[in-house]
Amino acid sequence: QVQLVESGGGAAQPGGSLRLSCAVSGYVDSIQYMGWFRQAPGKAREGIASINRRHDGTIYADAVRGRFTVSQDTAKRTLYLQMSSLKPEDTAMYYCAAGSLTTYYNTRDEPDYSDWGQGTQVTVSS
């Protein structure tokens, strides 16, 4: 079992930046990859970024590529999402997740993840 706790959400203006953190605890050796997802009101949850736990390889959704950066500090057991050039359409609840399937290097597909945080709200408005 892996426990995940997000922090760092809040309000930002368009063009601004925020950094989300996800504290990881529990059986971390089982984790193969981690990801960030978001869910806006009335929309399905979408995977926006993923990172391989051992090799740091990353993938991004088109909507955030070039603006968001996923990274990790395995010694501190923390996952990060640096968000820049924020847009109103980035407003959503953001979740971190961990997956242990050895068939994937990284993935943005929700069914591939087994452990989830409770989410942190990001609101972008002027």
Side-chain angles (χ1 to χ4, degrees):
Q1 189 81 17
V2 173
Q3 293 79 45
L4 305 170
V5 179
E6 302 96 335
S7 61
Q13 293 188 337
S17 299
L18 283 174
R19 188 176 81 159
L20 306 183
S21 298
C22 175
V24 185
S25 61
Y27 187 44
V28 299
D29 288 347
S30 67
I31 300 173
Q32 298 294 319
Y33 45 84
M34 297 195 69
W36 285 99
F37 291 75
R38 68 184 182 185
Q39 187 169 22
K43 294 188 177 181
R45 187 155 59 182
E46 61 172 338
I48 57 172
S50 177
I51 185 167
N52 181 270
R53 182 74 171 169
R54 289 168 175 75
H55 303 295
D56 291 333
T58 58
I59 55 173
Y60 296 92
D62 290 345
V64 305
R65 187 177 295 111
R67 300 188 298 122
F68 291 10
T69 302
V70 59
S71 62
Q72 61 186 351
D73 184 331
T74 54
K76 294 183 179 180
R77 296 188 173 188
T78 306
L79 180 73
Y80 300 101
L81 184 68
Q82 178 67 48
M83 305 186 294
S84 303
S85 302
L86 285 165
K87 304 176 181 179
E89 51 264 44
D90 294 320
T91 296
M93 184 71 78
Y94 284 71
Y95 302 88
C96 68
S100 59
L101 299 175
T102 57
T103 51
Y104 294 104
Y105 184 76
N106 49 30
T107 169
R108 292 188 293 111
D109 293 335
E110 186 172 345
D112 299 331
Y113 288 83
S114 55
D115 298 286
W116 295 83
Q118 82 290 346
T120 186
Q121 178 68 37
V122 171
T123 303
V124 183
S125 69
S126 54

